[in-house]
């Protein structure tokens, strides 16, 4: 892709346009401020969206999940909810840039107000890559945007699960989350308490002989307790070398890479 | 070891004496009735017993866990609780055969009566390889001994956790269990509800690309919620070939195998 006038219009200072290695889609990121991680990419692979389904992504950030899920599924409509207007506005520009504005809405709002923002609406699927870290309440001036994304400053796990349970179709709505394994016991317990029964889980290990640093979880609203734990997802075969599965998830396994430089 | 008169005295009909590949210890098993599995051996490796500690094994069966833990640790004393007298009697003969009767007690009794059996006593460590399967209440005539060991007929997860919580030293007593991953959400939730906080977990996968078929869990009585998930424990390198880690756990990695034929 040759960057020309279009890029000048779509990008603000400090932002860059990155190739998503799928369908020619690109995404705007703001290094040091609003970027997505491998977490979001792995969640987009773990989450299953069926033809015609509606999807809500809670805390959408750059909009990476709605954009990747639109590319990978035949879902009918995708909504990204983001509390930080600056991030939501950037995500909206990514949606427009990919001409996805009829399939994807980016909404600025607080998950704790979900029932007001989406009245009397059920989603088939909810995805979320929430803040992982506990505590650190109250904001400082510096890097608040990153702290809001990483720490449970503006919402916590209970908020997300409580509101998700209200917005998922009872008895069938599916919830997909990526989180940190050190909170696994709390996550499974709270999902169950909020009526989103854990049904499928996969741990992500940097190497086969290392502790996992992410956990991918699927829950079903109002289902019975019985879960499947999947084979481990291993990121690196050896140093700097991704496993075949990770290459495939990132779309790096194609013979030619038509969409330009890969940036992981 | 040459089997002679001693074996004749110690074994009943249908029983056999198996080498444990550690310290020359042997164990009596009754094929088709009371045998231990890989579950117990992996739990004996996962559980950590410190010098001078006291250990209770709930549902000890053949006595495999107290015997292996005695061999692997510097624990002060080990108690195996078993509800089936026929199994407890066999375990007692294994203890005597290894001259461990001053270190290991095998007690016949029901975990639900634990406070009566062990009044005013705290253990440092509790281990358990409990029945995995839900339901099937009520006994049939056939194979009741196996059904009691595998199904929650005479006690369930809540019984084990509730009684364990009472018998563990508050604030430091450790609980080690092997179980099935399909019950993981329930296990972590119930541990937490009974005040035994999940702190460490390891999934056991037959092959690196297969779902786990066992989960090893450590909980600490009265601890705070934050857990470590460990690297996966892989059983087979390829068909019929154990991984190095499994060979080591089974004591099969020594150059010579002084204790006779290995039976896994």
């Amino acid at each position: 892709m040759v960057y020309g006038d279009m890029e000048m219009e779509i990008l603000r200072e400090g932002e860059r346009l990155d190739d998503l290695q799928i369908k020619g889609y690109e995404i705007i990121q703001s290094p040091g401020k609003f970027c997505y991680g491998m977490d979001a990419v792995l969640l987009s692979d773990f989450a299953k969206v069926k033809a015609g389904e509606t999807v809500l992504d809670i805390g959408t950030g750059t909009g990476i999940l709605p954009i990747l899920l639109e590319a990978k599924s035949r879902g009918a409509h995708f909504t990204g909810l983001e509390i930080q207007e600056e991030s939501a506005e950037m995500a909206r520009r990514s949606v427009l840039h990919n001409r996805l504005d009829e399939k994807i809405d980016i909404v600025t709002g607080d998950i704790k107000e979900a029932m007001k923002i989406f009245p009397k609406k059920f989603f088939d699927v909810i995805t979320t890559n929430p803040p992982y870290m506990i505590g650190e309440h109250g904001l400082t001036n510096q890097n608040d945007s990153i702290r809001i994304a990483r720490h449970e400053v503006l919402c916590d796990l209970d908020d997300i699960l409580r509101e998700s349970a209200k917005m998922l179709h009872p008895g069938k709505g599916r919830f997909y989350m990526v989180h940190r394994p050190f909170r696994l016991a709390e996550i499974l317990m709270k999902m169950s308490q909020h009526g989103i029964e854990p049904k499928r889980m996969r741990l992500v290990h940097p190497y086969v002989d290392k502790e996992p640093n992410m956990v991918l979880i699927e829950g079903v609203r109002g289902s019975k307790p019985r879960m499947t734990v999947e084979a481990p997802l291993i990121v690196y075969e050896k140093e700097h070398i991704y496993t075949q599965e990770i290459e495939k998830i990132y779309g790096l396994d194609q013979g030619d890479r038509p969409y330009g430089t890969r940036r992981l």
Side-chain angles (χ1 to χ4, degrees), chain A residues 16 42 56 66 77-79 97 104 134 154 158 172-173 178 190 207 213 228 237 245 261:
Chain A
R16 68 173 198 225
L42 299 189
L56 171 66
H77 194 267
F78 303 82
T79 305
H97 174 64
I104 302 177
I134 304 166
L154 298 184
D158 276 311
K172 63 172 194 167
V178 58
K190 287 187 170 167
Y207 294 89
N213 52 6
T228 301
E237 192 72 42
E245 184 166 11
T261 318

Side-chain angles (χ1 to χ4, degrees), chain A residues 31-60:
Chain A
K33 205 163 186 181
F34 304 114
C35 283
Y36 66 88
M38 179 177 277
D39 329 43
V41 179
L42 299 189
L43 184 60
S44 78
D45 183 73
F46 182 78
K48 302 300 172 208
V49 176
K50 297 174 199 163
E53 288 189 325
T54 55
V55 180
L56 171 66
D57 181 46
I58 298 174
T60 202

Side-chain angles (χ1 to χ4, degrees), chain A residues 146-188:
Chain A
I146 292 181
R147 292 186 60 253
I148 289 169
R150 293 192 186 159
H151 293 262
E152 294 184 331
V153 179
L154 298 184
C155 75
D156 64 17
L157 191 52
D158 276 311
D159 295 327
I160 289 170
L161 290 169
R162 187 186 56 247
E163 300 304 318
S164 293
K166 292 179 198 163
M167 287 184 295
L168 280 172
H169 273 294
K172 63 172 194 167
R174 305 189 306 287
F175 176 86
Y176 297 96
M177 179 167 69
V178 58
H179 217 292
R180 287 276 186 265
F182 80 89
R183 294 185 67 184
L184 184 60
E186 182 193 355
I187 290 166
L188 296 179

Side-chain angles (χ1 to χ4, degrees), chain A residues 35-238:
Chain A
C35 283
Y36 66 88
M38 179 177 277
D39 329 43
V41 179
L42 299 189
L43 184 60
S44 78
D45 183 73
F46 182 78
K48 302 300 172 208
V49 176
K50 297 174 199 163
E53 288 189 325
T54 55
V55 180
L56 171 66
D57 181 46
I58 298 174
T60 202
T62 59
I64 180 73
L65 270 159
I67 293 171
L68 282 181
L69 288 173
E70 194 284 333
K72 292 177 178 192
S73 79
R74 294 173 54 217
H77 194 267
F78 303 82
T79 305
L81 179 66
E82 173 55 48
I83 196 165
Q84 301 195 59
E85 171 56 21
E86 193 185 347
S87 179
E89 189 276 332
M90 192 180 86
R92 252 174 240 125
R93 278 185 279 126
S94 286
V95 169
L96 274 175
H97 174 64
N98 294 299
R99 297 164 197 244
L100 290 170
D101 42 312
E102 293 199 353
K103 292 288 288 292
I104 302 177
D105 276 341
I106 304 292
V107 177
T108 308
D110 185 341
I111 179 63
K112 298 195 287 298
E113 310 277 302
M115 297 304 282
K116 287 184 198 164
I117 303 168
F118 309 107
K120 292 179 190 169
K121 178 161 171 49
F122 286 126
F123 292 93
D124 298 303
V125 171
I126 289 180
T127 58
T128 187
N129 179 0
Y132 295 145
M133 310 310 288
I134 304 166
E136 296 220 28
H137 292 286
L139 297 177
T140 60
N141 289 320
Q142 233 179 351
N143 288 326
D144 276 353
S145 54
I146 292 181
R147 292 186 60 253
I148 289 169
R150 293 192 186 159
H151 293 262
E152 294 184 331
V153 179
L154 298 184
C155 75
D156 64 17
L157 191 52
D158 276 311
D159 295 327
I160 289 170
L161 290 169
R162 187 186 56 247
E163 300 304 318
S164 293
K166 292 179 198 163
M167 287 184 295
L168 280 172
H169 273 294
K172 63 172 194 167
R174 305 189 306 287
F175 176 86
Y176 297 96
M177 179 167 69
V178 58
H179 217 292
R180 287 276 186 265
F182 80 89
R183 294 185 67 184
L184 184 60
E186 182 193 355
I187 290 166
L188 296 179
M189 185 172 66
K190 287 187 170 167
M191 284 176 69
S192 191
Q193 284 168 348
H194 286 288
I196 300 175
E197 195 58 38
K199 297 303 288 179
R200 189 165 68 97
M201 179 180 112
R202 192 167 194 196
L203 289 158
V204 183
H205 300 255
Y207 294 89
V208 67
D209 57 352
K210 295 292 180 209
E211 291 176 5
N213 52 6
M214 295 178 230
V215 56
L216 299 157
I217 296 182
E218 173 179 342
V220 175
R221 173 90 174 88
S223 185
K224 287 181 189 165
R226 181 186 178 102
M227 67 186 289
T228 301
V229 181
E230 298 189 340
L233 176 49
I234 315 295
V235 175
Y236 293 102
E237 192 72 42
K238 47 188 169 180

